[in-house]
Amino acid sequence: MKEPQGASQSPFKSLYDKLQDILCCSTLPNKYKRLDATLERKMVEIKRNPSRSNNFKSFDSIIMKFPQFREGLKEIRNIFEQYDEDVNGTIDNEEMKKCLHAFEFSISDEEIGDLVAYCDIDEKEGIQLKEFIVVVFLIYLLMDAPASPNTKLKMCSPQIETTLNAIIEVFLFLDKNGVGKLKKKDVVKALNEASPKEKSPSHITRSRFKEMDWDKNGKVSFKEFLFSFIDWVRFDCDDEDPEE
């Protein structure tokens, strides 16, 4: 295996209600626990969907798609730059409101703040590019877009939607047991599936899992996976060969 480097009349009313239920838990010790659980259920639902297409048979086949992933992520970067109005490298809550409105994704100001905080891993003011990419993924999943071909995220080109679906499939490839979160033994198995006679050194597979498992609880959420995978793809390195 090669080592990788106010919406009362809105059609999204049910989505608004769903998010209100998910994100209104700021009084809990872990205010995002329910959102994590919701994302886990989403991944399980997609994994069990009999109509889904699984295009990945090995991690090498995923690496071969890195150039396409880069192109889709660059298009999301273009959206980010469009709404980073003051060109400071971050999107604040006001800019995020305008962006979500363009996506036709209607939630309250408080919910926008919670969604931004959930993805703001460095806890700096505003959302940076990689965090914005994660926001787009979460919106896409919460709209049930992967399971509903007729559900479209406004402003997302076919290239972006293809990329979102494909990276979701990467997570599902690693989630061998279909439980909505990654476990070390499943990740090791997936990384070694391509060439069972040439298994990756154990320190490499351990390192890959450690990169994803931020809280060191032995499980990797979809959000943790996304931040790591974006780094592996290295979409900001335009001319670099992903296999090097």
Side-chain angles (χ1 to χ4, degrees):
M1 186 202 75
K2 297 172 184 176
E3 183 187 356
Q5 306 277 331
S8 59
Q9 301 302 318
S10 167
F12 299 110
K13 179 64 164 65
S14 60
L15 175 63
Y16 176 87
D17 292 339
K18 183 189 304 181
L19 278 169
Q20 190 171 36
D21 181 58
I22 291 168
L23 295 172
C24 68
C25 50
S26 59
T27 58
L28 297 177
N30 182 353
K31 63 188 294 186
Y32 309 118
K33 186 176 181 180
R34 289 173 61 191
L35 182 52
D36 277 331
T38 298
L39 292 173
E40 282 183 20
R41 289 195 298 272
K42 292 290 181 187
M43 303 312 289
V44 171
E45 289 170 9
I46 297 170
K47 181 90 170 181
R48 294 177 180 174
N49 187 340
S51 64
R52 73 175 259 265
S53 299
N54 181 8
N55 298 319
F56 300 121
K57 305 300 181 185
S58 69
F59 204 79
D60 281 351
S61 68
I62 292 169
I63 295 172
M64 294 297 292
K65 292 289 185 181
F66 275 21
Q68 291 94 317
F69 295 159
R70 286 181 179 184
E71 293 308 308
L73 294 176
K74 287 176 190 175
E75 289 198 27
I76 298 177
R77 179 177 65 191
N78 292 340
I79 297 174
F80 175 88
E81 291 173 348
Q82 179 181 347
Y83 286 93
D84 178 18
E85 296 175 348
D86 50 9
V87 198
N88 67 347
T90 64
I91 289 182
D92 60 29
N93 279 18
E94 288 303 314
E95 293 167 333
M96 183 62 73
K97 288 177 193 176
K98 295 178 183 178
C99 182
L100 295 182
H101 177 74
F103 278 141
E104 294 190 2
F105 187 76
S106 299
I107 57 176
S108 70
D109 290 354
E110 182 179 358
E111 289 163 338
I112 290 173
D114 285 342
L115 188 60
V116 166
Y118 178 76
C119 297
D120 185 14
I121 57 168
D122 60 9
E123 298 184 345
K124 294 180 180 177
E125 247 184 81
I127 287 289
Q128 298 177 36
L129 175 57
K130 290 179 183 177
E131 297 164 340
F132 179 77
I133 292 171
V134 176
V135 169
V136 172
F137 269 94
L138 296 188
I139 293 171
Y140 189 68
L141 282 167
L142 292 171
M143 289 178 66
D144 291 322
S148 306
N150 294 326
T151 301
K152 300 294 182 182
L153 193 60
K154 296 294 182 181
M155 291 183 58
C156 280
S157 66
Q159 176 74 56
I160 291 177
E161 289 202 28
T162 298
T163 300
L164 295 175
N165 286 324
I167 293 179
I168 289 168
E169 282 298 325
V170 174
F171 180 89
L172 297 177
F173 171 79
L174 297 173
D175 180 15
K176 293 301 181 185
N177 289 324
V179 295
K181 54 194 169 190
L182 307 182
K183 297 182 179 180
K184 185 176 180 179
K185 64 179 181 180
D186 293 333
V187 172
V188 170
K189 179 180 178 182
L191 293 179
N192 288 323
E193 269 187 350
S195 305
K197 294 182 180 179
E198 299 180 10
K199 293 186 177 180
S200 298
S202 59
H203 74 277
I204 292 178
T205 53
R206 285 198 304 268
S207 174
R208 289 294 169 217
F209 188 82
K210 186 177 180 180
E211 287 173 16
M212 295 188 288
D213 186 17
W214 301 344
D215 55 10
K216 299 180 174 57
N217 68 350
K219 297 175 289 186
V220 173
S221 69
F222 184 64
K223 182 179 78 169
E224 290 175 312
F225 158 80
L226 275 179
F227 278 110
S228 297
F229 192 75
I230 291 167
D231 282 339
W232 294 357
V233 172
R234 302 181 70 184
F235 75 97
D236 51 347
C237 301
D238 293 343
D239 301 319
E240 192 167 332
D241 186 344
E243 295 179 12
E244 290 181 356

